[in-house]
Amino acid sequence: MKKILVTPRGYAKYGQEARKRLEALGYTMDINDTGKPVPRDVFVEKAKEATGIIVGVDELDADLLKECKNLKAIVKFGVGVDNIDLPTCESMGIKVGRCLGTNSNAVAELTVGMMFACARHLVPTAIDVKNGGWGKPTGFELKGKKVGIIGFGNIGKNVARMAYGIGMEVYAFDVFDIPADVLAKYDAKKASVDEILTDCDFITVHVPLTDETKDMISAPQFKQMKSTAVLINAARGGIVNEHDLYEALKNKEIYASAADVYTSEPPMASGEPWVEELLKLDNFVLTSHIGSRSQESEINTVEVATDNMIKLLTE
């Protein structure tokens, strides 16, 4: 039996028509419709039987992949493939696809929203009011400030578009050269990471998690930043060293930070006492990896994931 395992919850909600395209090709769909993450032991057993897997954050490591004798294709329901062992896939002939661009606007909007949240103390103020307080902290405006975008792919470009519309100065860095016409389109200035760290009021990270980017923002980088700087990470946990971030925020080396990702999710699972202290800080906001969770993004990703799976299984 040819079976497609689908773990992302968005597919169950928005993929009823898309699934028919795979069923028409003779595949049985095993879609997670529980509204909850698939338990690891259940995922492992289902993956071993699958011909194709549309996967969210579930780990497809080398040990598991080697037991997936029927597996022909994996499609990431998103962009980052750090939860998929690509070398093992290549050695086993398992094709891997991604859903490029489908959630770029959603993640960029969340990023800019976090910039506003940090600048105007939105989260601690709202919590204060809910608890009976009426404090009135003074924040600052984004207009006229410099934003440094580390990683100028689809998400970074969308952040640049929005930031320029707000009236910010846009600094852009990417490991690949950014052509002059692209910079001009977004009214951006090409900059090095060091220039962004030292000059920018807002710094936002949009790079994949690799051996090269792990802990790329750590204690030395925080010491380069302005004491008024705001750091946003809506990319991957582990790119920012969270313990060093805690120290920088606690010691007021930077003004504030917001993140949609964490090295271990949820963070309290780590059991480290300083993590609880980090989460209590008024100048730190952490959301539960919701950057791509807009209706529009989910619908886009369902369609592209289905297209990619069909392509990988039939080419």
Side-chain angles (χ1 to χ4, degrees):
M1 180 182 296
K2 300 184 296 183
K3 185 180 293 186
I4 306 294
L5 172 62
V6 184
T7 64
R9 286 162 277 180
Y11 202 102
K13 188 170 185 178
Y14 299 107
Q16 294 310 306
E17 290 301 315
R19 70 181 295 169
K20 294 177 183 177
R21 295 197 279 139
L22 283 159
E23 288 172 339
L25 296 174
Y27 293 98
T28 299
M29 301 297 290
D30 184 354
I31 299 174
N32 173 25
D33 58 2
T34 66
K36 300 176 181 179
V38 178
R40 178 63 182 176
D41 59 336
V42 175
F43 175 69
V44 167
E45 292 309 310
K46 288 178 177 289
K48 291 177 184 178
E49 301 176 357
T51 304
I53 301 176
I54 296 176
V55 67
V57 298
D58 305 276
E59 194 79 20
L60 281 160
D61 54 43
D63 289 341
L64 174 55
L65 287 168
K66 288 172 183 176
E67 295 189 66
C68 298
K69 305 302 183 184
N70 302 319
L71 189 58
K72 305 298 182 185
I74 300 168
V75 174
K76 176 62 184 277
F77 197 78
V79 180
V81 291
D82 45 285
N83 59 317
I84 303 169
D85 191 304
L86 297 179
T88 301
C89 288
E90 184 175 4
S91 68
M92 294 179 63
I94 301 169
K95 299 173 183 177
V96 179
R98 300 186 294 162
C99 298
L100 295 171
T102 58
N103 62 16
S104 299
N105 188 74
V107 177
E109 285 191 5
L110 183 77
T111 297
V112 175
M114 285 180 156
M115 291 163 59
F116 279 111
C118 288
R120 300 301 297 272
H121 310 281
L122 296 184
V123 174
T125 302
I127 293 172
D128 178 52
V129 172
K130 286 179 181 289
N131 290 332
W134 199 247
K136 298 185 179 183
T138 300
F140 56 89
E141 298 176 12
L142 273 61
K143 182 181 179 181
K145 302 301 189 296
K146 297 176 181 177
V147 57
I149 302 170
I150 300 175
F152 209 60
N154 289 326
I155 296 171
K157 291 184 178 73
N158 274 294
V159 171
R161 171 178 57 82
M162 297 174 198
Y164 178 74
I166 293 166
M168 305 182 80
E169 294 182 48
V170 179
Y171 287 57
F173 167 82
D174 199 274
V175 292
F176 301 105
D177 184 55
I178 308 171
D181 61 326
V182 174
L183 290 168
K185 180 179 179 180
Y186 297 96
D187 288 277
K189 170 188 173 182
K190 184 161 61 175
S192 67
V193 171
D194 284 340
E195 287 175 310
I196 286 173
L197 293 173
T198 57
D199 295 351
C200 288
D201 305 291
F202 290 84
I203 299 162
T204 179
V205 180
H206 302 286
V207 297
L209 177 63
T210 66
D211 290 340
E212 289 72 29
T213 62
K214 180 175 172 56
D215 291 336
M216 77 176 293
I217 307 294
S218 300
Q221 287 73 40
F222 288 120
K223 295 186 185 307
Q224 288 182 260
M225 297 179 193
K226 298 178 179 180
S227 60
T228 54
V230 173
L231 174 68
I232 310 293
N233 180 15
R236 279 292 183 271
I239 295 169
V240 175
N241 183 300
E242 287 109 359
H243 183 267
D244 290 356
L245 171 64
Y246 166 63
E247 294 292 336
L249 291 170
K250 183 179 67 171
N251 298 326
K252 302 190 183 305
E253 292 178 14
I254 64 171
Y255 186 79
S257 179
D260 185 47
V261 292
Y262 204 85
T263 297
S264 58
E265 298 177 358
M268 291 302 291
S270 70
E272 296 282 355
W274 62 266
V275 175
E276 184 175 358
E277 295 303 313
L278 171 63
L279 296 175
K280 288 179 180 177
L281 293 176
D282 281 346
N283 57 348
F284 179 62
V285 176
L286 178 65
T287 51
S288 52
H289 211 140
I290 58 170
S292 64
R293 298 295 294 273
S294 72
Q295 293 179 18
E296 296 83 354
S297 171
E298 298 272 75
I299 292 167
N300 291 341
T301 308
V302 162
E303 294 302 321
V304 173
T306 304
D307 290 343
N308 285 346
M309 182 58 73
I310 291 172
K311 180 181 178 182
L312 293 177
L313 290 173
T314 58
E315 67 182 5

